[in-house]
Amino acid sequence: MEHNSDRKAFEACIVEIVQCLAGLCDTEIGIHTDPNQIASLANEGGSQILGYEVAPTPQHFQFDCDLVPIEAAYLKHKEYDHYVSRVGLRIHLPSQIENILRAQFSSSLMDQVDYALTGHSDLEFEMVYDGLLVCFLTTGFDNFTVDGMTDTMLRHSYAQIVQDLDPLMPWLKFARFLAQQHYTHEQMENIQKRLPSILDNALQNKSIADAHVFTLCELSGSFDPALRLFKKRYGDLFVEELE
C-alpha cells in the first residue's frame, strides 16, 4: 500500500511537471487519422484501434513526448468532436529533472540507459480539421501511469524523487503562470531559453527567502510576490518590462 501511495504521488508530480512545461511552450500532440474512420467511429459510438502519425513541435528546452504503440491504443468517441484514447508515452524531461531520476537508478551496468519516463495516459483529443486530432497537453494531460519497467527501476525511490523535485515545482508553476499572461513572443522565447538556468538555480541555491515568497503566493492566491522576485532576478532578459 505504501508503494502504491508513493507511486501515485510521483505520477501526480509528473503530470503537473508536464502540464507546466507544455503550458510554457504550447506543446500539443497532433494525430493524423483517416477522416472516414473518424466519421464511422462517431456514428457507431464504438471504438477502433488508433492509427496515427505524430507531428512533433520543437522547443527551446529538453521536453518532448513520443507516442508508443500499446495494445490498448483504442480511440473512442466521447461527445461532440472529442475523442479519448489510452496511448503509450515516452516523456523526455529537462536535464535537471532527468538527473534526479538518474541518481535514483544509475548503475555501472546501465551506462547507456534511456532515462525517458515510459508509461501510458488517457488523453482527450479534439478533432480540428480533416481527421486531425489534437491534444493540448497543458489541459489534456491529467493522468499518467508508469509502466512495469519504470516501476521496477524507481519503486524504491518514488518518495525521495518527489522530495528532490520539490524545489523545482514552484518555479515550474510560475513559468506556467507566465505563459498564461499576455507577454510578447520575444519575452516568452527568453523565458523558455532561460528555464534550464532557473531550474539549476532552484536546485543549487535552495533559498529560505524563495520558499517564503512562494508561501506568500499560496496564501494570497496571487503570483505577484513571485513576479517581483522574478523581475529582480531575471528582469534583464526582457526587452520590455514585465507588467
Side-chain angles (χ1 to χ4, degrees):
M1 288 295 294
E2 183 177 353
H3 162 67
N4 288 337
S5 176
D6 289 344
R7 192 186 77 179
K8 292 300 181 185
F10 168 77
E11 291 169 340
C13 188
I14 295 301
V15 166
E16 192 159 34
I17 289 171
V18 170
Q19 289 175 334
C20 290
L21 296 175
L24 182 59
C25 55
D26 294 327
T27 300
E28 59 189 51
I29 293 179
I31 295 180
H32 301 279
T33 62
D34 181 352
N36 293 326
Q37 181 187 30
I38 295 297
S40 172
L41 181 62
N43 292 333
E44 296 176 4
S47 63
Q48 296 182 10
I49 295 176
L50 180 67
Y52 53 77
E53 217 176 278
V54 180
T57 305
Q59 307 304 337
H60 293 284
F61 49 83
Q62 178 190 352
F63 170 58
D64 62 75
C65 296
D66 300 327
L67 293 190
V68 179
I70 58 175
E71 186 177 354
Y74 286 90
L75 183 68
K76 299 180 181 179
H77 182 238
K78 186 177 181 183
E79 57 183 354
Y80 305 110
D81 285 332
H82 287 243
Y83 302 81
V84 293
S85 179
R86 173 164 293 182
V87 298
L89 288 174
R90 291 169 56 81
I91 305 174
H92 299 82
L93 296 167
S95 58
Q96 294 75 17
I97 298 173
E98 179 186 281
N99 289 339
I100 290 174
L101 303 180
R102 183 188 298 267
Q104 296 302 326
F105 58 82
S106 59
S107 167
S108 60
L109 300 177
M110 302 175 67
D111 288 338
Q112 303 303 315
V113 69
D114 185 348
Y115 289 92
L117 283 176
T118 52
H120 69 262
S121 180
D122 297 304
L123 300 181
E124 181 169 336
F125 293 89
E126 178 180 349
M127 186 167 71
V128 179
Y129 176 75
D130 198 25
L132 173 63
L133 300 175
V134 175
C135 174
F136 303 95
L137 290 186
T138 189
T139 55
F141 187 84
D142 60 8
N143 64 87
F144 177 69
T145 302
V146 298
D147 60 12
M149 178 61 72
T150 299
D151 190 43
T152 297
M153 293 189 291
L154 297 181
R155 67 178 55 174
H156 302 300
S157 306
Y158 287 134
Q160 183 62 50
I161 291 173
V162 171
Q163 180 179 324
D164 292 344
L165 289 171
D166 188 61
L168 299 178
M169 299 309 295
W171 287 104
L172 288 170
K173 294 176 186 177
F174 180 66
R176 183 183 185 183
F177 160 77
L178 289 177
Q180 295 169 337
Q181 309 309 302
H182 300 293
Y183 298 135
T184 67
H185 177 73
E186 185 174 1
Q187 287 172 333
M188 290 311 304
E189 289 259 330
N190 285 333
I191 294 173
Q192 292 173 19
K193 293 174 181 176
R194 185 69 172 185
L195 183 67
S197 62
I198 292 173
L199 298 183
D200 276 333
N201 186 66
L203 288 173
Q204 296 172 10
N205 303 295
K206 299 175 184 178
S207 168
I208 295 178
D210 285 9
H212 177 66
V213 165
F214 285 109
T215 298
L216 286 177
C217 290
E218 292 181 7
L219 293 175
S220 66
S222 167
F223 272 111
D224 284 346
L227 185 57
R228 289 193 292 271
L229 174 64
F230 188 83
K231 287 166 62 175
K232 179 179 179 181
R233 188 174 293 170
Y234 304 110
D236 61 306
L237 297 174
F238 301 97
V239 176
E240 303 175 12
E241 183 73 6
L242 285 170
E243 298 295 336

